[in-house]
């Protein structure tokens, strides 16, 4: 018979030694769900946010006005419903509902990706809409005034700034997702919480196991938060600029940073 | 004084504009010929901005028409995009694209709207940045520039599309007084080169020296349109005189 450890620390070491693969796999699944869910959620949020800010004009045709109106109504229903219900309940409804209503037997993992993405999408849609509104309208007008269409102005001028402004919210969502994917244990997704519960059950060492789990969650969220900070800094670009000395007209190619003129990517010469 | 021929470059015909129940513009008519510099003056709230914004359809007209080279813009241009490249706009608050460098601000319209190649667009942008004395700043972002510098870049951005006419809505009103001069200097230079311009301004000395015609807008109508010699020395409308007197006292 093996000798059981005594004391908190020796239990922790014992459990780590025995279940590190389980912890690691659980953490991996959690991270995967959070990253993929946040990424797809951001894309959903972008699309919804952009559609929700399409201007309608008195001169547009009745059909155009009504179809845009209907789409916007459906999208805001989506946002309200998925923001207004708990993810744990959404997981149950999607996983078991798809089976009993539509006879779709999706894997728990697939249901997990679906629920996290759709949920994040609902939150991000509002963030994106806010981000778009926060870019001063003058820039949109200036873009339109040099002949850009609404969508050109959106993608070239407004969205890049809106995205920069909502970076903190994207980070927030990632961190929330790392933690909140734990609710997916109700549909038996083998993420970190689910794995921990299995490990804890063997020796009934709930405190020691969940202490380890706690540390792993914190390491993941803290790392994510720091990495996002660095990324934000990078997006801002250099805080100073190089004055171009002399006469840039004489040899324009020589003066641009990063070969922006006469550089590699002009295929039409 | 600029040469004019008979066909106007731009004509505003019986323009009315209401916001809700309030009629802001009550029947505006005027013509702009090639090479003319028309300055629009008037009290704050009289409808000058609304009027100039209607010219490139940043506001939808309630009724009336804008004609470009004799043809109604809304009939002639299926997309407003092409028309807008011919009618440049400079805003009071610069409205540079904050996510782009000075150079990109001046190329994006050329590549996205006129579909020019990147290199051609950059050479062209550089030419106009040179023109406004900002060629050395191509790598700067708007937030790194002073107000006067921003407005000069904004002028280059408009010029880079090689428009037939430039609309300016109080281009110096958001500037600290020491920067007003540098922008007015560029505007004088453009006028001297024969650029057609429609300028809303409170710079009366500029209007007096540079304008070929001055429009005085009062409560949504053109109360007077005359050469500056008449408007500033012997205005025909007493409201004009009143406005100019108050303006001079206020200085
Ligand atoms: N989008 C708008 N909605 C409602 N009223 C407006 C709008 N834009 C301008 N106005 C009103 O129209 C009038 C004229 O404004 P504006 O053209 O900006 O005058 P100016 O440029 O001569 O100072 C003002 O009374 C202003 O409040
Ligand atoms: Mg105004």
């Amino acid at each position: 018979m093996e000798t059981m450890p005594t004391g908190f620390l020796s239990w922790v070491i014992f459990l780590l030694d025995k279940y590190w693969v389980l912890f690691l796999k659980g953490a991996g699944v959690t991270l995967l769900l959070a990253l993929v869910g946040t990424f797809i959620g951001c894309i959903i949020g972008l699309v919804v946010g952009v559609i929700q800010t399409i201007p309608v004009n008195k001169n547009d045709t009745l059909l155009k006005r009504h179809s845009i109106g209907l789409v916007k109504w459906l999208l805001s229903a989506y946002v309200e419903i998925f923001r207004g219900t708990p993810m744990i309940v959404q997981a149950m409804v999607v996983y078991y509902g798809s089976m009993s209503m539509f006879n779709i037997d999706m894997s728990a993992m697939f249901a997990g990706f679906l629920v996290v993405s759709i949920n994040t999408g609902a939150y991000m849609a509002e963030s994106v809409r806010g981000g778009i509104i926060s870019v001063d309208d003058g820039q949109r007008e200036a873009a339109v005034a040099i002949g850009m269409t609404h969508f050109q102005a959106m993608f070239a001028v407004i969205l890049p700034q809106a995205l920069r402004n909502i970076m903190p919210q994207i980070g927030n969502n990632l961190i929330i997702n790392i933690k909140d994917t734990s609710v997916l244990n109700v549909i038996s997704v083998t993420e970190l919480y689910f794995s921990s519960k299995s490990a804890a059950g063997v020796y009934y060492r709930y405190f020691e196991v969940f202490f380890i789990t706690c540390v792993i969650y914190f390491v993941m969220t803290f790392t994510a938060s720091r990495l996002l900070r660095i990324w934000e800094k990078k997006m801002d670009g250099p805080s100073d600029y190089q004055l171009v000395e002399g006469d840039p007209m004489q040899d324009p190619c020589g003066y641009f940073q990063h070969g922006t003129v006469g550089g590699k990517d002009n295929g039409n010469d | 004084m600029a040469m004019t021929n008979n066909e106007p470059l731009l004509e505003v015909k019986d323009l009315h504009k209401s916001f809700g129940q309030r009629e802001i513009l009550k029947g505006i008519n005027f013509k702009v010929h090639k090479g003319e510099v028309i300055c629009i003056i008037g009290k704050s709230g009289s409808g000058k901005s609304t009027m100039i914004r209607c010219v490139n359809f940043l506001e939808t007209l309630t009724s009336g028409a804008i004609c470009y080279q004799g043809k109604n813009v809304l009939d002639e241009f299926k997309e407003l995009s092409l028309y807008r490249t011919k009618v440049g706009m400079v805003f009071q608050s610069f409205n540079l694209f904050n996510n782009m460098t000075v150079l990109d601000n001046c190329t994006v319209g050329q590549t996205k709207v006129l579909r020019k190649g990147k290199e051609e667009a950059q050479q062209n942008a550089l030419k106009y940045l040179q023109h406004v004395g900002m060629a050395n700043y191509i790598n700067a972002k708007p937030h790194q520039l002073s107000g006067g510098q921003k407005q000069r870049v904004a002028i280059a951005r408009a010029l880079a599309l090689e428009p037939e006419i430039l609309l300016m809505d109080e281009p110096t009103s958001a500037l600290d007084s020491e920067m007003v001069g540098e922008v007015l200097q560029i505007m004088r230079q453009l006028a001297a080169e024969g650029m057609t311009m429609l300028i809303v301004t409170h710079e009366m000395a500029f209007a007096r020296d540079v304008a070929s015609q001055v429009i005085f807008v009062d409560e949504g109508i053109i109360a007077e349109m005359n050469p500056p010699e008449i408007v500033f020395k012997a205005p025909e409308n007493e409201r004009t005189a009143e406005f100019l007197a108050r303006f001079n006292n206020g200085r």
Side-chain angles (χ1 to χ4, degrees), chain A residues 138-139 141-142 144-147 152 156-157 160-161 239 241 243-244 246-247 249 252 256 260-261 265-266 268, chain B residues 53 81 84 95-100 103 112-113 117-119 122-123 126 130 136-138 140 144 157 161:
Chain A
Q139 291 185 56
E141 283 195 341
V144 167
I146 59 173
Q152 284 176 328
V157 177
Q161 294 177 62
S239 57
Y241 58 89
L243 261 192
V244 175
D247 181 3
M249 286 305 278
F256 295 90
T260 41
V261 151
D265 52 354
N266 49 315
N268 49 352
Chain B
R53 288 162 58 82
S81 291
R84 283 173 170 149
N95 297 354
L96 292 179
F97 307 135
N98 290 331
N99 58 322
M100 299 181 196
L103 184 67
K112 291 219 184 290
V113 183
K118 192 173 164 191
E119 189 175 6
Q122 287 182 331
Q123 297 302 338
L126 205 49
Q130 179 97 330
N136 293 340
Y137 292 84
I138 47 178
Q144 296 162 326
R157 173 175 69 184
L161 295 172

Side-chain angles (χ1 to χ4, degrees), chain A residues 81-156:
Chain A
I81 289 168
F82 279 84
R83 281 199 316 173
T85 54
M87 194 157 83
I88 191 166
V89 177
Q90 292 165 15
M92 297 297 264
V93 169
V94 167
Y95 185 56
Y96 293 108
S98 63
M99 206 159 343
S100 69
M101 292 283 287
F102 307 107
N103 234 342
I104 303 169
D105 185 9
M106 57 173 81
S107 71
M109 196 64 189
F110 182 81
F113 280 125
L114 198 64
V115 168
V116 179
S117 303
I118 295 179
N119 195 278
T120 308
Y123 280 95
M124 285 311 300
E126 281 300 280
S127 300
V128 170
R129 203 171 65 85
I132 289 171
I133 293 170
S134 76
V135 178
D136 80 293
D137 200 47
Q139 291 185 56
R140 186 194 59 77
E141 283 195 341
V144 167
I146 59 173
M148 288 195 213
T149 62
H150 170 73
F151 285 100
Q152 284 176 328
M154 192 52 121
F155 288 104

Side-chain angles (χ1 to χ4, degrees), chain B residues 56-88:
Chain B
N56 70 350
F57 298 92
L58 284 180
E59 303 287 354
T60 50
L61 319 189
T62 303
S63 69
I66 310 291
C67 297
Y68 178 77
Q69 292 179 336
K71 291 173 187 124
N72 188 334
V73 172
L74 289 181
D75 299 336
E76 194 64 15
F77 293 85
K78 259 217 317 282
E79 297 291 332
L80 280 174
S81 291
L82 194 63
Y83 168 70
R84 283 173 170 149
T85 64
K86 301 191 184 301
V87 182

Side-chain angles (χ1 to χ4, degrees), chain B residues 43-50 52-53 92 169-170 200 202:
Chain B
K43 274 189 290 200
S44 168
S46 56
K48 308 180 296 296
S49 294
T50 307
I52 204 168
R53 288 162 58 82
Q92 179 174 349
D169 190 3
E170 302 196 30
V200 176
H202 290 299

